[in-house]
Amino acid sequence: MHMADALVSPAVGGTMWAATAGTTALACRRVRQGLDDRRVPLMGVLGSFVFAAQMVNFQVPGTGSSGHLGGALLLAILLGPHAAFVVVTSVLAIQALFFGDGGLLALGCNAFNIGFFPAFVAYPLVYRPLAGPGAGPGRRTAASLLAAATGLCLGAFGVVLETTASGITELPFRLFLGAMVPIHLAIAVVEGLATAAVVGFVLKVRPDVVEPGPAAPTPTSRLGAVFLAAALVLGGFVSWFASRQPDGLEWSIAKVTGRPATAEENAGRAATTLAGIGGGLATLVLVGGAGWALRRR
Amino acid sequence: MSHHLVIADRLHFRYPDGTPALTGASFRIAHGESVGIVGANGAGKSTLLMHLNGTLLPDSGEVRIGEEPLTPDRIPDVRRRVGMIFQDPDDQLFMPTVRDDVAFGPLNMGLPPGEVEARVTAALRRTGIEELAARPPHRLSGGEKRRAAIASVLAMSPDVLVLDEPSAGLDPHGRRALIGLLREFTHTKIVATHDLDLVLDLCERTIVLDRGTVRADGKTREIFADEPLLASCRLEKPLSMQGHWGRS
Amino acid sequence: MSRIAGAIVHFGALDTLSASGTPLHRLDPRAKVVTTLAFAAAVASFGKYAVLPLLPFALFPVALASAGGVPFGLLGRRLLLALPFVVLVGALNPVLDRMPVSLGPFAVAGGWMSFTSILLRFVLTVSAALVLVAVTGFHEVCAALGRLGVPRPLVTQLLVLHRYLFVLLEEAGRMERARSLRTFGGRGRGLPASGAFLGTLLLRTWGRAERIHFSMLARGFDGVLRFERPLRFGAAAVLFTSGWIALFLAFRLVDVPRLLGSFLAAAAP
């Protein structure tokens, strides 16, 4: 699920932007070092493919509902983690700019939740070890399911952390997490099965696409370091925000309870609030007028 | 101008999955000739074209552009001299705007900015699409896309133009306009197509390809009049030569 | 209309808008990208109960949309389509936060204020992003990103992705149409069929990438897409950027509606 700008505070958005910028720089360097110029068109059209594939609904077995492919895990299988991360980030940027899914400030959060976890955690640490070259369909499906679950649950966890740390919604951390994890497990079933189905189909028709030989092994130590750093950053800003969290609440309590107001004070406050609402309407009228004037030119 | 020769000498090529695509194709095309390469699906037309600019290298036999054989170290030079226009213009127009796309080749050739600009303008003017320069390719009609693809190759000033199914996906008007445009070029032209009427309009010479080898090579009208030959290669006489539907 | 058809229409509409040549379109794209980011950060920086102080910020998308000829209907439709997640996350606010906040003679649950705030932030930030593309053009946005230091592979990726979005959406749309003609009551829409469907689309995409690569090589591709735009950060761009950012700061520091309101109240008898 996409984080929206409306739910993100500048500090959380900024932190996640920084984390994504760092990962992007690393991933781009790796892609360039690959010196495989086939990748330029391949990554581009696979981005368009994921975009289009997300719009193709299919029925989820055993339920009446429908789902669609997310694509991050599939991209990691096809391209490896670094290129997959770059592709997912580009898809998210287009979704934010053209379709209002997510947002500019939330782009860092989204790239991390939707791109980083599947590409740099689920794929190398879950999918690859389980579904090595020559794995059968059953094993591949199991690996896809587990990897999708890992990636999506970590992503959901990211959404919950970022939302809570931003402090714009009231959803308590536990309740939100409790709602998000089951939803994302359900999505993961769809994602895992769909990924396995696509990989299975492609393996039958053009095996060279899915198994491009032994991919350059991602140094696990380096990966672990990246992950650790990410966790530290996440943990750091979460605790920082947790400590600041009461601010908003205190403000409202102080404002509303405080001491019992006298009738006079009450009337005064009502007057200022009414003035505020009038002012708000006036603001909108002014904004509308400005737009009208600009349009008439 | 013998250095504009295009020679294929006993080309053999097999795809990695084992499918034989070329089985000894040979021909020789001189400067300024306009040659149609016809053949049914799977006859090896596209594979042959990809050998002409070194996209594929033959398993045995050789391609010569000019007098020298096409060896891996000559590929950059050959790709500048042999301009390849692909079947689906969407595959060829990959840059954000028509202008960017036409400039792609000249920029890769390392030309100075002024020269790039001059070539882009000239290519756009020659194909009659100057006013489309700033458009993104997905906002073009089929015919406009085809012109843009041709412009993108012309900007590299090739000696030889190679076209793969240039009339595919064009309406009759677009097709007619394309033929007019191609007629204007004095380049050596090699046109691979199913559209035998196009060949009849454009090429005085035709090479018939069948199962990876040259079955016939001669004057277009003579070859298209040879119905048994065409039938054995799974081809049909062009409509304009089938008396009862004759076009004016 | 199917989702794919809807996406094609919307995408085409934004694309057409971005090709028009208003003075705003001609402004250096870096100015518009930086200003829009500053806008999003400014809007996000308010406390969770902020409703009134956010209102003046509507000036930015409204002014840009108006100067750039972007119809509000287009923005409205997209906002509605993107809304669900925000509503989902914000909808419980009124239930969870019952702390009364006085609103004139009435008291409302604080949750209603914060929920309204979320919706407002959503409308502001999403419309600003859509307007950015509509008055700048995606290629210019990418050029700006490149010049602002975004790594080249990502910029190239964005450009190629955008170029083939239409092509792939149309291809998927055709396949989807063909499939829907042959599926009845959900049969043929299950997972195995869908795996084959998406797998076929993937292989076609892969084949296309190979053909594009060939055509790139045929024109001397050496691994770098040369995409240069002569950008000039002129006086207009400086004025635009600094003017708007100053205004955002002012809106952030001064509660304009409250100020206006007190003026109005003072003026009223």
Side-chain angles (χ1 to χ4, degrees), chain B residues 206-218:
Chain B
T206 293
I207 293 172
V208 180
L209 212 57
D210 183 33
R211 275 161 281 179
T213 188
V214 175
R215 271 291 294 278
D217 181 350

Side-chain angles (χ1 to χ4, degrees), chain C residues 210-225:
Chain C
E210 288 174 336
R211 293 196 305 276
I212 297 167
H213 184 234
F214 285 151
S215 87
M216 286 175 163
L217 289 179
R219 286 190 280 150
F221 180 55
D222 53 7
V224 181
L225 279 197

Side-chain angles (χ1 to χ4, degrees), chain A residues 1-2 6 10 37-38 43-44 47-48 54 57-59 90 98 169-170 193 206 251 256 273 275 279 291 295, chain C residues 3 10 44 48-49 66 70 72 78 85 89 93 97 100 104 121 130 157 161 179 186 189 191 194 210 213 257 261:
Chain A
M1 262 187 222
H2 291 49
D37 59 25
R38 272 186 323 155
M43 286 167 58
S48 316
Q54 288 185 350
N57 278 316
F58 50 83
Q59 227 137 52
S90 71
F98 281 84
T169 67
E170 292 297 332
L193 290 177
R206 263 197 75 174
W251 173 81
V256 182
T273 316
R295 225 169 254 272
Chain C
R3 287 179 72 198
H10 168 75
K48 66 176 166 181
Y49 292 107
S66 302
V70 183
F72 291 123
R78 215 2 89 176
F85 177 63
V89 176
N93 278 11
D97 178 6
R121 287 159 200 266
L130 295 177
Q157 166 65 21
L161 164 58
R179 179 172 77 154
R189 307 187 71 94
L191 208 57
S194 300
E210 288 174 336
H213 184 234

Side-chain angles (χ1 to χ4, degrees), chain C residues 16-37:
Chain C
T16 310
L17 283 174
S18 69
S20 56
T22 69
L24 184 57
H25 281 82
R26 286 194 293 275
L27 195 68
D28 189 302
R30 285 171 290 184
K32 289 176 271 187
V33 169
V34 168
T35 309
T36 307
L37 280 174

